[in-house]
Amino acid sequence: MKIVIIEDEKDLGILMRNFLVKQLNVKTPDTVKIATTLLEGINFINQLNPDWVFIDNNLPDGKGINEIEQIKNSGKLYNRKVVMMSAMTNLREEALRNGADYFLDKPISFVEVKNLFPEYE
């Protein structure tokens, strides 16, 4: 499984990566990339062709919510899951309309993240 986390709060990105690597028993942490900008995240998506993308809304170079459709439809993988993360809960419906598969409220609950992957329990 390959995952890209686009989160400008580097510490949160690292916590998420560590949790996902342990939770999903990922053999190589290199398959879980952390980007702190939208541009860096899009580059990782193009390089890695991930199964999952976790994306924050407020990024230094743009709004994640505006990139969901592009992320869903880019690359060779057409069943990619996109998870929007934001403290702005009023964005939930818009994110889902834009193609997000899930919406996680910030602060992130790792119980909710774990629930996204029931096959790994």
Side-chain angles (χ1 to χ4, degrees), residues 47-114:
Q47 291 168 14
L48 196 61
N49 198 30
D51 305 286
W52 287 79
V53 175
F54 288 80
I55 185 166
D56 185 21
N57 186 51
N58 291 321
L59 296 160
D61 55 345
K63 299 288 184 190
I65 200 162
N66 298 330
E67 304 301 322
I68 295 170
E69 187 175 353
Q70 177 189 340
I71 291 168
K72 287 283 287 193
N73 297 321
S74 65
K76 302 171 212 159
L77 199 61
Y78 293 106
N79 59 347
R80 173 177 297 137
K81 301 291 185 199
V82 175
V83 180
M84 179 95 233
M85 307 178 296
S86 180
M88 299 174 64
T89 57
N90 61 321
L91 293 179
R92 176 185 305 276
E93 293 305 316
E94 183 180 354
L96 296 173
R97 275 195 313 274
N98 287 0
D101 296 283
Y102 304 98
F103 186 95
L104 293 176
D105 296 323
K106 284 186 169 183
I108 299 294
S109 160
F110 285 104
V111 171
E112 287 184 48
V113 174
K114 182 179 178 179

Side-chain angles (χ1 to χ4, degrees), residues 14-28:
I14 291 168
L15 280 172
M16 286 191 66
R17 180 189 59 202
N18 293 345
F19 177 81
L20 290 167
V21 165
K22 183 177 179 185
Q23 180 65 35
L24 305 178
N25 197 21
V26 175
K27 301 292 184 233
T28 44

